[in-house]
Amino acid sequence: MIENTIIQDIFRYKKPLSTIPIWFMRQAGRYLPEYREIRKKAGSFNSLCYNSDYAEEVTLQPIRRFDIDAAIIFSDILVIPNALGQNLTVTENIGVSLEPSIKDAKAIQKLESQNVSDCDNFLQPVYEAIAKVRQSLDKDKSLFGFCGAPFTISSYMIAGKPDKELSETCQFYYQNKKLFFQLIEILCSYCIRHLCNQIKAGADIVQIFESMGGMIPAKLIKECSINPIQKICDGVKKEYPHIPIILFAKGTASYFKEYIDNCNIDALSIDTQTDIALAVKNIPSDIVLQGNLDPFLLCVGNSKMLEEEVNYILHNCRNRAFIFNLGHGIIKHTNPIHVEETIKYVRLWSKNNGYNN
């Protein structure tokens, strides 16, 4: 594990340091012209995602351009269902599909029959890319691995596509509760394995994405989201107790306390729907905060509004262990200049506001 990165120091000391660490969710992506060139060369998302040379290159692109404090491996939360036998297709301007979708006991049995080593081999290009990035990355930069939370992944697997209203996922749950939790258990074990394999390859921090968390019915949040994430965190910490785990559970501010109390997490990534001031007030100081600039504001790039919002976030987090980020991923139409300007402002703010010890 890399020991001397500013993000590692945030987790070690749990207080503001000389500068505010900064990286962005979806920082390697379509908003960068250099990414679009590699994407065109690769020919498809899968060819890009599962080619370790291509994945290394696009992972490093935002580091070269912006000199931010962390890289996050270019991959996808859906590589696990892809490794388990569902065909993953990402079509430009249309979206994601997973086929065949999970509809019955036979489909669950097929997942359970998968050979673990076959799945590891399928995902080996991801781990190779991490090893290559770690070798190329400066020692003062962190490298993130990640996975989707079981509920979020299951929603794609059941619907075969983004289930934005959870209509198909919830119907499956109520009609086939036993099968649903068999699927969740399968995903828990593979998420643990996938995160540990990424750490073994060179990731020094991992993040769990519960992107559909805010859509989960209140009475189901504990068993469908909190319990599985708890199991994943415990499994990863058993193997790698010193690796920080960040949870991004979008739309779940009402349950932050339950996540913190039950899951062995080190940080919460705060979404745009949550007021950062309330997060600071209500979340214990030993939990690192990350977030939560609106990606749409970053995309528009209104200098005055952007500066005001960045200032609001930094002012409220000035006495916290804090990592600057977005409340969700960078939008594809974002001008890279807006990203560069935001980074400059964050670093200037920290320089001028006493973060110099």
Side-chain angles (χ1 to χ4, degrees):
M1 182 181 77
I2 300 297
E3 294 286 351
N4 60 341
T5 75
I6 186 173
I7 294 182
Q8 286 288 350
D9 283 345
I10 279 288
F11 287 101
R12 184 177 296 114
Y13 300 114
K14 302 290 181 70
K15 66 178 184 180
L17 301 177
S18 57
T19 58
I20 300 169
I22 182 169
W23 70 282
F24 298 96
M25 288 185 278
R26 214 177 288 149
Q27 64 188 22
R30 294 172 291 178
Y31 75 105
L32 291 177
E34 55 266 44
Y35 169 88
R36 295 195 294 270
E37 289 181 12
I38 298 293
R39 175 67 170 79
K40 184 177 180 180
K41 184 178 180 181
S44 71
F45 176 83
N46 287 22
S47 297
L48 177 56
C49 187
Y50 294 121
N51 181 305
S52 62
D53 290 331
Y54 287 156
E56 176 197 11
E57 170 61 21
V58 296
T59 298
L60 292 171
Q61 285 173 349
I63 304 298
R64 297 193 195 106
R65 181 184 274 261
F66 304 120
D67 191 32
I68 43 185
D69 296 305
I72 182 167
I73 191 64
F74 182 81
S75 187
D76 196 273
I77 65 170
L78 299 181
V79 296
I80 289 178
N82 196 197
L84 287 169
Q86 286 186 294
N87 295 318
L88 171 63
T89 304
V90 181
T91 306
E92 192 73 19
N93 299 320
I94 296 177
V96 174
S97 68
L98 280 172
E99 296 296 339
S101 55
I102 304 300
K103 298 299 183 187
D104 52 29
K106 185 178 179 180
I108 299 294
Q109 290 168 2
K110 184 177 179 180
L111 296 177
E112 291 178 326
S113 69
Q114 293 292 321
N115 188 298
V116 171
S117 61
D118 287 344
C119 293
D120 286 348
N121 291 335
F122 186 93
L123 295 172
Q124 193 60 35
V126 178
Y127 312 136
E128 290 174 0
I130 289 173
K132 289 178 179 179
V133 171
R134 185 66 273 173
Q135 188 173 6
S136 301
L137 200 60
D138 289 346
K139 298 296 184 182
D140 64 346
K141 309 289 188 187
S142 288
L143 175 55
F144 278 73
F146 69 92
C147 74
F151 183 88
T152 291
I153 298 176
S154 72
S155 72
Y156 283 87
M157 296 178 75
I158 292 166
K161 61 185 186 301
D163 191 10
K164 295 182 179 180
E165 296 182 354
L166 290 186
S167 57
E168 295 188 51
T169 306
C170 287
Q171 286 180 63
F172 186 91
Y173 170 88
Y174 288 121
Q175 293 170 352
N176 308 279
K177 186 173 180 179
K178 182 179 179 181
L179 292 179
F180 179 84
F181 282 109
Q182 283 181 253
L183 175 58
I184 293 295
E185 283 298 306
I186 292 167
L187 292 174
C188 280
S189 63
Y190 279 98
C191 285
I192 293 168
R193 192 171 187 89
H194 187 45
L195 290 178
C196 287
N197 283 340
Q198 290 177 78
I199 294 165
K200 184 178 180 181
D204 52 287
I205 297 175
V206 294
Q207 180 159 309
I208 300 171
F209 287 84
E210 184 70 287
S211 304
M212 300 300 294
M215 301 294 292
I216 302 172
K219 291 182 178 180
L220 306 185
I221 194 84
K222 182 76 162 62
E223 60 179 354
C224 290
S225 181
I226 294 172
N227 290 348
I229 291 171
Q230 177 185 16
K231 186 170 184 176
I232 292 169
C233 292
D234 288 346
V236 172
K237 290 288 188 179
K238 181 178 179 180
E239 296 296 322
Y240 296 100
H242 302 301
I243 293 292
I245 299 175
I246 301 176
L247 173 63
F248 177 63
K250 186 174 182 289
T252 65
S254 299
Y255 303 98
F256 280 171
K257 185 178 188 301
E258 283 78 3
Y259 282 110
I260 293 167
D261 289 347
N262 290 279
C263 304
N264 197 358
I265 59 173
D266 301 279
L268 274 174
S269 193
I270 309 302
D271 60 31
T272 307
Q273 291 72 35
T274 304
D275 188 335
I276 197 71
L278 293 178
V280 169
K281 180 180 178 180
N282 294 319
I283 296 173
S285 60
D286 62 335
I287 297 294
V288 175
L289 295 183
Q290 177 178 277
N292 75 329
L293 182 67
D294 188 346
F296 289 100
L297 179 54
L298 183 68
C299 182
V300 171
N302 183 306
S303 297
K304 186 175 186 299
M305 293 179 66
L306 189 58
E307 184 174 318
E308 287 176 353
E309 184 60 20
V310 171
N311 184 71
Y312 179 80
I313 293 168
L314 297 179
H315 176 77
N316 278 284
C317 296
R318 65 194 182 281
N319 297 318
R320 291 290 299 249
F322 176 67
I323 301 166
F324 189 89
N325 206 307
L326 301 178
H328 205 214
I330 292 180
I331 296 167
K332 69 176 181 178
H333 301 299
T334 301
N335 190 326
I337 292 174
H338 301 164
V339 178
E340 184 177 343
E341 291 173 346
T342 301
I343 293 167
K344 287 181 179 178
Y345 185 75
V346 170
R347 289 180 172 161
L348 180 63
W349 193 97
S350 62
K351 181 180 179 181
N352 292 338
N353 285 272
Y355 288 17
N356 53 12
N357 297 320

